[in-house]
Amino acid sequence: MTKADVIAEIAEKTGIDKADVQHTIETFFTVIKNNLAKDENIYVRGFGSFINKKRARKVARNISKNTAMVINEHYIPSFKPAKVFVEQVKTAVKRDEQVSA
């Protein structure tokens, strides 16, 4: 499912204009990116958390040049789903199970 598909489905289910839904979703993603860039985590109860994970400094190898290089400590954005979300996905009937039934 693409972002356009999500926008279309939300517009269909809510009756809100697609352009307004698209603007809202784009703004939501911008808020998440900006806050993670400022090292502020975002918690959405019942859905999950958008957090920065710390990666430790390490020595890596450039195989083509056969040299060592240092990758400094850095942060990467990550999503951790809520327990309720995980349970809903685990208990949902999968497409493969529906086909074989």
Side-chain angles (χ1 to χ4, degrees):
M1 184 173 227
T2 65
K3 183 168 55 171
D5 295 335
V6 172
I7 290 168
E9 187 169 333
I10 291 172
E12 181 183 313
K13 288 184 177 185
T14 62
I16 299 172
D17 186 51
K18 277 187 181 182
D20 293 336
V21 173
Q22 180 176 1
H23 177 70
T24 303
I25 287 179
E26 292 294 339
T27 304
F28 174 74
F29 289 138
T30 301
V31 168
I32 289 174
K33 288 187 276 188
N34 291 342
N35 283 295
L36 286 177
K38 292 187 286 188
D39 200 27
E40 294 178 20
N41 295 332
I42 299 173
Y43 305 99
V44 182
R45 184 170 295 226
F47 185 72
S49 304
F50 297 92
I51 58 174
N52 281 318
K53 282 190 175 180
K54 185 177 185 179
R55 295 291 167 125
R57 180 179 184 268
K58 65 180 179 180
V59 177
R61 304 267 325 147
N62 182 339
I63 297 173
S64 62
K65 296 181 182 178
N66 197 25
T67 59
M69 56 191 289
V70 175
I71 299 175
N72 290 325
E73 177 182 276
H74 61 282
Y75 291 88
I76 60 163
S78 180
F79 175 74
K80 181 180 179 189
K83 288 180 183 179
V84 175
F85 185 11
V86 172
E87 286 303 316
Q88 182 179 354
V89 172
K90 278 184 181 179
T91 58
V93 177
K94 301 295 181 215
R95 200 175 310 164
D96 294 338
E97 294 173 4
Q98 291 175 346
V99 172
S100 63

